[in-house]
Amino acid sequence: MIVREVVVKNKSGLHTRPASMIVRTASRFKSDFFIEKDGYEINGKSIIGVMTLAAEPGARLKLIFDGEDEEEAAEAIVALFEQGFGEIE
């Protein structure tokens, strides 16, 4: 199991486009993927789950990966957050 902490860097938070990017990327991997915010954990491969987090700019999230390709999945998802989902100016 791999656990990473990330901060939402883009100005709009996890709205529809970033949420769909997370789900689309996570779905490429076999590993289970969960996101935790304020003690609430959701399935990171569910668009509804990701949207319910309502993660605002500056929110701290815990990403949890578990499975055979967890390292690759962690790298890909963390990169999305670090790049601000392409929305950082």
Side-chain angles (χ1 to χ4, degrees):
M1 180 186 309
I2 295 176
V3 178
R4 296 280 189 267
E5 291 208 9
V6 295
V7 175
V8 178
K9 295 181 179 181
N10 57 315
K11 293 179 182 177
S12 300
L14 288 188
H15 57 88
T16 307
R17 194 178 73 74
S20 68
M21 290 173 73
I22 291 169
V23 171
R24 196 172 332 119
T25 302
S27 296
R28 296 189 337 230
F29 300 96
K30 293 181 181 178
S31 295
D32 291 330
F33 170 51
F34 299 93
I35 304 174
E36 184 180 305
K37 178 180 180 260
D38 301 328
Y40 180 67
E41 185 176 285
I42 58 92
N43 182 340
K45 293 184 178 183
S46 163
I47 188 73
I48 300 298
V50 177
M51 294 295 294
T52 61
L53 289 175
E56 68 283 350
R60 294 188 172 280
L61 306 175
K62 186 185 295 185
L63 309 180
I64 304 159
F65 304 88
D66 190 21
E68 62 187 75
D69 54 1
E70 62 191 24
E71 287 192 33
E72 296 88 350
E75 282 182 29
I77 301 293
V78 169
L80 290 175
F81 281 91
E82 288 177 352
Q83 297 161 3
F85 303 96
E87 296 179 4
I88 294 179
E89 298 172 2

